[in-house]
Amino acid sequence: MITKRYQAAGWRSRPSVSRALGVVCAVAAAGLLTGCGGNDTGDSATASPSAEPLQAQATSPSPTDASPASPTAASPSPSDSRLTEDQAERKAIVPKVKIGWDKALDTAVRKVPDAKPVSVELDGPADKPAWKAEVATADGTAHTVRVDAVTGTADQARTDSDQDPDDKRELADLLKKATVTPQQAVRTATDKTKGTVTSVGLGDTDQGAPKWSVDVVTTDNWNKTTYDIDAANRKILREHMDRD
């Protein structure tokens, strides 16, 4: 079972200093060319023993001397070297997905007679992404179905053998109380944050009320935002952005 959501209360930029250094070097070079020594003469002599190379550098700046801060700041997506492990994993998996969460969950529901959706979550590896869906019958018996996220092919449903009678009663109760569909919950989340849905799961609040948790990944920075949405009235109970 991919997620036991119903059993619990609940898938970064640095300022650049190269521009400042470039300004200091340009000022030092201008001082030497105009003959204005000052107290920094010793440091200038150490950095550049001859004024002639400095003059050549000042008159013909190399394109590589330009500060890299501007293109980096203008780019909407962080480079791979600056991605966290989780961000890199999302970047590797999400673009490969051809079958959305909703189709995967519908496929799982059709695999089990009289079942209702409980959760669906995108999983790797990157070369074979899959949706792990969970559905349940009215008595709270949970079944998991793996759906290929590229082809839509589904495995046979498997009954959750870890459930005890209390687990089944709790899940059955949540399913009865949840009047908001997962589709409605996702619409509420994506109205707030545009992106790719990677997880939807039924759970409960600290007070025992049903809620849907929706994960939305934004593909410009590969951050994940989780929304907890009241499964009775669609109110947003919590919003959390995971930048890791």
Side-chain angles (χ1 to χ4, degrees), residues 11 20 27 48 63 68 70 73-74 79 101 103 115 121 130 175 198 208-209 211-212:
W11 199 239
V27 171
S48 178
S70 296
S79 63
W101 71 272
K103 291 184 178 180
E121 184 175 21
L175 289 171
T198 58
K211 68 175 182 179
W212 289 103

Side-chain angles (χ1 to χ4, degrees), residues 32 45 153 183 208 210 227:
L32 287 173
T153 303
Q183 289 81 2
Y227 290 93

Side-chain angles (χ1 to χ4, degrees), residues 4-173:
K4 305 274 285 188
R5 290 183 186 270
Y6 65 89
Q7 294 184 2
W11 199 239
R12 300 175 171 57
S13 60
R14 178 180 305 169
S16 174
V17 299
S18 59
R19 184 180 297 277
L21 291 175
V23 171
V24 171
C25 292
V27 171
L32 287 173
L33 289 171
T34 56
C36 298
N39 294 331
D40 294 332
T41 304
D43 294 339
S44 299
T46 303
S48 178
S50 171
E52 183 177 350
L54 283 175
Q55 184 176 2
Q57 183 177 8
T59 56
S60 302
S62 169
T64 59
D65 292 335
S67 171
S70 296
T72 301
S75 175
S77 178
S79 63
D80 289 350
S81 62
R82 298 181 63 183
L83 293 175
T84 67
E85 183 177 350
D86 288 343
Q87 289 170 334
E89 182 179 14
R90 294 171 199 141
K91 184 176 181 180
I93 294 176
V94 170
K96 307 287 183 61
V97 175
K98 305 299 182 185
I99 304 299
W101 71 272
D102 48 347
K103 291 184 178 180
L105 194 54
D106 287 344
T107 298
V109 169
R110 290 195 298 268
K111 284 283 186 177
V112 180
D114 301 320
K116 291 185 177 182
V118 176
S119 66
V120 63
E121 184 175 21
L122 184 61
D123 195 15
D127 61 345
K128 196 173 180 58
W131 293 101
K132 292 185 177 180
E134 183 173 86
V135 300
T137 49
D139 65 351
T141 300
H143 306 263
T144 58
V145 179
R146 181 186 180 279
V147 181
D148 191 298
V150 177
T151 66
T153 303
D155 294 343
Q156 291 299 316
R158 294 183 298 175
T159 303
D160 183 3
S161 60
D162 293 333
Q163 278 187 303
D164 58 32
D166 288 338
D167 293 333
K168 292 182 179 181
R169 282 194 295 270
E170 183 179 359
L171 181 54
D173 185 55

Side-chain angles (χ1 to χ4, degrees), residues 176-201:
K176 288 179 182 178
K177 292 179 179 178
T179 57
V180 173
T181 66
Q183 289 81 2
Q184 291 172 326
V186 165
R187 194 174 303 118
T188 299
T190 53
D191 282 346
K192 290 277 292 183
T193 299
K194 304 300 181 185
T196 300
V197 174
T198 58
S199 177
V200 184

